[in-house]
Amino acid sequence: WAQLVESGGGSVQAGGSLRLSCPTTGYIAGDSCLGWFRQPPGKQREPVALIYPDGKRKIYPDDAKDRFTISRDTAENTVYLQMDILKSSDTATYYCAAGRPTTAGFCSPPEYLETWGRGTQVTVTS
């Protein structure tokens, strides 16, 4: 039985940082595709970060590439998202996601992974 629960959201001023955490109950971090996506108010879901089972390959959209860092702790089966230099456009509900890679080792974008958490709100004020 898989369950993801995000924590670490909140309100922060532009330029500040937040670190989101998500225990990946039901998934073994070292064997799974783990990621984060977000949904801004009134908009569609957007990918934020993805980490492959090897822990080395990480994918970010251009806007997040130099500001966000995804990491994981395989001993704790937890995935993290460090967000720095936050902008007001980062305001959204952030979701943790997990799934199994395809037989070819491919990971779907985080918003298409099989299990999501309930989300944590991040509000960036200017």
Side-chain angles (χ1 to χ4, degrees), residues 37-48 89 91-95 111-112 116:
F37 66 93
R38 68 189 184 190
Q39 187 159 22
K43 296 185 180 180
Q44 293 185 334
R45 292 186 286 267
E46 304 172 348
V48 173
S89 56
T91 294
T93 302
Y94 283 72
Y95 298 85
E111 67 272 33
Y112 294 104
W116 304 351

Side-chain angles (χ1 to χ4, degrees), residues 4-6 20-24 27-29 32-38 46-53 57-61 68-72 78-82 93-100 107-120:
L4 308 180
V5 180
E6 304 88 345
L20 306 183
S21 301
C22 177
T24 58
Y27 286 90
I28 297 174
S32 304
C33 308
L34 304 175
W36 295 87
F37 66 93
R38 68 189 184 190
E46 304 172 348
V48 173
L50 178 69
I51 184 168
Y52 269 63
R57 187 175 178 190
K58 302 177 183 180
I59 299 175
Y60 304 93
F68 293 1
T69 303
I70 188 170
S71 62
R72 66 177 192 188
T78 299
V79 62
Y80 303 96
L81 182 69
Q82 176 68 39
T93 302
Y94 283 72
Y95 298 85
C96 169
R100 289 165 180 81
C107 288
S108 299
E111 67 272 33
Y112 294 104
L113 294 176
E114 61 198 43
T115 304
W116 304 351
R118 291 189 176 185
T120 186

